[in-house]
């Protein structure tokens, strides 16, 4: 029995395949941009592999930083063809400025199969501004067979210069009514980097009308003169440029852009208003945003739960009136102005105008039932200056009273009717 076991083990050794010696060719293509930003990951090298053996397993790669110290780099990582991270390292040999990356299980290359990986670099928060560096992989590739022949061609990236430009974008308001003409918005830019800011671009979603800029403020000049900036607008887009030639460094840390635009006629939920910043060597660098601070929802903000007539008869003397109670509810938490419009009253016998050339000129008014000093005149259009201030909390009922004074000479009939609309102008 002992002889049989020994024979089986011996036979197994005899049939185990020997590692084939292969030629591995590595070609490098630079992906490095001319300029890189701190705190950002960039692709620097695309490495393509070709092997002449049936299978070659790459077990490690030596990545070297050229031109500047590794303190500018927080990590280097390898990405395979599917976009998966196959190796990461954050430690460096500070004498030779290199690090070794070892893909888990190795990186297999079979005969006549072309494979590739990308070397990515994360630029440090404290990287030296305007310093330059390149990434090299010309030395130190190992395989699972020390006899393999490795040829490396052009495995160094071009040099990139470090910049420091970081801006956060925040939009208000983030809930607006549909079909609001010249809804006001404020886009706040908060910035942290050391590089100059030349300007901003803001892009509105589909459905918005062409915007216009009403003002620009910064932290050091809260009433910025128009000579401090230039504003240009086009369909769904606005651009802000600062200073002579657009190269003024803004005193920080905040710039506010006030603009107006007509909102979409239909509901759009949580759509982004994107922005980019230009500065130093970047022209369209995206600002940092997220859906909680720069997405906008356009929807009907105010609903009429009920309407009742509290006074339906009036003397035709120019001072008596009809009165109506409106119960309203709101679909979001917000602040701003409630507005109403009303068509002229009509009947088979004539009509009643909402305005008059004598007196105060208005017959219809709307007031806050809880605060009678909040009152507005009502016409057939939404007048920006005519609104009931304040409110609102989502789901809370709000009560308003509309009064219609009956002009002298109005025809007496019980068939008068009118059409009303409400909207909420967010602030």
């Amino acid at each position: 029995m002992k002889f049989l076991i020994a024979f089986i083990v011996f036979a197994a050794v005899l049939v185990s395949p020997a590692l084939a010696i292969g030629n591995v060719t590595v070609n490098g293509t630079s992906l490095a941009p001319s300029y890189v930003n701190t705190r950002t990951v960039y692709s620097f090298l695309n490495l393509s592999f070709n092997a002449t053996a049936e299978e070659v397993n790459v077990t490690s790669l030596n990545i070297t930083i050229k031109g500047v110290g590794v303190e500018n780099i927080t990590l280097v990582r390898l990405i395979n063809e599917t976009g998966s991270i196959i190796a990461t390292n954050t430690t460096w040999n500070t004498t030779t400025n290199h690090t070794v990356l070892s893909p888990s299980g190795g990186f297999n290359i079979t005969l006549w199969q072309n494979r590739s990986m990308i070397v990515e670099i994360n630029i440090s928060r404290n990287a030296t501004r305007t310093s330059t560096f390149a990434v090299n992989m010309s030395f130190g590739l190992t395989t699972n067979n020390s006899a393999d022949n490795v040829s490396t061609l052009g495995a160094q990236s071009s040099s990139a210069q470090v910049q420091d430009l970081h801006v956060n974008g925040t939009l208000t308001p983030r809930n607006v009514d549909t079909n609001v003409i010249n809804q006001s918005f404020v886009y706040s830019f908060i910035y942290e980097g050391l590089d100059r800011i030349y300007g901003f671009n803001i892009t509105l979603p589909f459905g918005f009308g062409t915007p216009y800029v009403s003002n620009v403020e910064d932290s050091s000049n809260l009433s910025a003169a128009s000579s401090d900036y230039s504003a240009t607008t086009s369909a769904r887009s606005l651009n802000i440029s600062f200073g002579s030639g657009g190269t003024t460094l803004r005193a920080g840390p905040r710039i506010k852009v006030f603009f107006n635009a007509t909102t979409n006629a239909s509901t759009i939920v949580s759509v982004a208003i994107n922005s980019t910043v230009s500065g130093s060597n970047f022209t369209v660098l995206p600002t940092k945003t997220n859906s909680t601070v720069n997405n906008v929802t356009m929807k009907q903000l105010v609903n009429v739960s009920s309407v009742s007539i509290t006074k339906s008869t009036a003397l035709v003397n120019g001072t008596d009136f009809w009165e109506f109670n409106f119960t309203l509810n709101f679909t979001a938490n917000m602040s701003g102005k409630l507005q109403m419009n009303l068509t002229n009253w009509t009947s088979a016998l004539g009509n009643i105008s909402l305005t008059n050339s004598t007196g105060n000129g208005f017959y219809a008014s709307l007031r806050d039932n809880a605060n009678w000093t909040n009152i507005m005149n009502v016409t057939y259009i939404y007048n920006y200056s005519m609104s009931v201030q304040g409110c609102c909390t989502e789901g809370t009922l709000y009560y308003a009273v509309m009064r219609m004074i009956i002009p002298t000479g109005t025809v007496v009939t019980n068939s008068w009717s009118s059409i009303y609309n409400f909207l909420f102008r967010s602030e």
Side-chain angles (χ1 to χ4, degrees):
M1 181 62 69
K2 292 181 180 180
F3 174 78
L4 178 59
I5 293 173
F7 175 79
I8 293 172
V9 173
F10 178 69
V13 172
L14 289 179
V15 298
S16 296
L19 290 174
I21 298 174
N23 294 317
V24 183
T25 303
V26 185
N27 283 279
T29 303
S30 177
L31 301 176
S34 299
Y35 303 97
V36 293
N37 203 14
T38 58
R39 293 177 270 170
T40 308
V41 176
Y42 291 92
S43 297
F44 263 72
L45 264 178
N46 183 24
L47 300 174
S48 59
F49 300 81
N50 182 269
T52 60
E54 290 206 5
E55 182 176 274
V56 173
N57 186 280
V58 176
T59 55
S60 68
L61 295 90
N62 187 321
I63 303 297
T64 304
I65 300 299
K66 297 285 188 179
V68 72
V70 292
E71 66 274 3
N72 285 310
I73 310 301
T74 57
L75 67 84
V76 58
R77 65 191 185 192
L78 304 178
I79 310 295
N80 67 12
E81 300 96 332
T82 65
S84 299
I85 299 173
I86 58 174
T88 300
N89 207 338
T90 59
T91 58
W92 298 83
N93 182 320
T94 55
T95 301
T96 59
N97 281 358
H98 83 268
T99 189
V100 177
L101 292 102
S102 301
S104 178
F107 186 74
N108 292 313
I109 311 161
T110 57
L111 182 64
W112 312 125
Q113 177 193 28
N114 292 319
R115 295 206 64 188
S116 64
M117 67 173 68
I118 291 175
V119 181
E120 289 188 340
I121 297 293
N122 188 36
I123 314 302
S124 168
R125 170 187 289 271
N126 300 315
T128 304
R129 182 176 169 273
T130 72
S131 63
T132 60
F133 69 94
V135 172
N136 183 284
M137 204 295 298
S138 296
F139 310 97
L141 184 149
T142 62
T143 69
N144 62 338
N145 186 354
S146 60
D148 286 336
N149 299 311
V150 180
S151 300
T152 304
L153 305 173
Q156 178 165 315
S157 73
S158 56
S159 293
Q161 178 174 299
V162 176
Q163 304 293 158
D164 187 34
L165 183 65
H166 295 277
V167 179
N168 297 315
T170 302
L171 172 76
T172 56
R174 291 188 283 275
N175 289 294
V176 295
D177 217 333
T178 54
N179 252 344
V180 181
I181 298 174
N182 290 329
Q183 168 66 50
S184 59
F185 293 93
V186 180
Y187 212 109
S188 297
F189 296 97
I190 302 171
Y191 53 100
E192 308 160 347
L194 299 176
D195 279 329
R196 291 173 177 265
I197 294 175
Y198 302 160
F200 301 99
N201 172 270
I202 300 171
T203 302
L204 306 181
F206 286 101
F208 276 90
T210 300
Y212 73 89
V213 177
S214 57
N215 192 26
V216 175
E217 295 179 353
D218 69 35
S219 298
S220 63
N221 184 8
L222 295 181
S223 299
S226 58
S227 59
D228 291 340
Y229 68 92
S230 62
T232 58
T233 60
S234 59
R236 301 175 40 246
S237 178
L238 58 95
N239 290 278
I240 306 296
S241 296
F242 298 115
S244 176
T247 58
T248 301
L249 176 64
R250 307 307 294 173
R254 174 191 53 75
I255 294 173
K256 286 186 176 181
V257 177
F258 298 81
F259 69 95
N260 294 66
T262 299
T263 63
N264 199 356
S266 58
T267 298
I268 299 179
V269 177
S270 193
V271 62
I273 294 185
N274 294 316
S275 60
T276 60
V277 58
S278 61
S280 291
N281 293 297
F282 297 116
T283 56
V284 287
L285 185 70
T287 58
K288 297 178 182 178
T289 57
N290 62 66
S291 60
T292 63
V293 297
N294 92 314
N295 281 21
V296 63
T297 291
M298 289 172 282
K299 63 180 180 179
Q300 185 174 328
L301 292 181
V302 55
N303 294 313
V304 179
S305 295
S306 64
V307 58
S308 60
I309 303 175
T310 56
K311 188 174 185 300
S312 60
T313 61
L315 298 174
V316 185
N317 60 8
T319 60
D320 207 358
F321 52 86
W322 299 324
E323 201 162 70
F324 305 81
N325 278 356
F326 291 90
T327 302
L328 310 173
N329 64 60
F330 295 85
T331 61
N333 298 325
M334 56 204 170
S335 62
K337 301 175 180 178
L338 177 68
Q339 296 188 302
M340 179 185 187
N341 68 21
L342 188 72
T343 63
N344 288 334
W345 293 87
T346 60
S347 74
L349 301 179
N351 67 77
I352 306 175
S353 175
L354 302 178
T355 59
N356 183 22
S357 59
T358 62
N360 64 11
F362 300 97
Y363 291 127
S365 62
L366 184 75
R367 65 177 181 269
D368 181 352
N369 193 50
N371 182 359
W372 281 41
T373 62
N374 283 347
I375 188 169
M376 59 173 279
N377 295 316
V378 178
T379 69
Y380 64 93
I381 62 172
Y382 292 118
N383 190 311
Y384 304 150
S385 62
M386 299 178 184
S387 59
V388 176
Q389 305 290 321
C391 92
C392 300
T393 302
E394 182 178 357
T396 299
L397 296 180
Y398 183 86
Y399 303 97
V401 179
M402 190 194 79
R403 175 175 291 184
M404 177 66 197
I405 297 174
I406 308 304
T408 301
T410 299
V411 176
V412 177
T413 177
N414 61 0
S415 63
W416 292 111
S417 65
S418 179
I419 298 173
Y420 63 84
N421 292 285
F422 286 93
L423 69 74
F424 194 81
R425 188 173 291 274
S426 301
E427 294 180 339

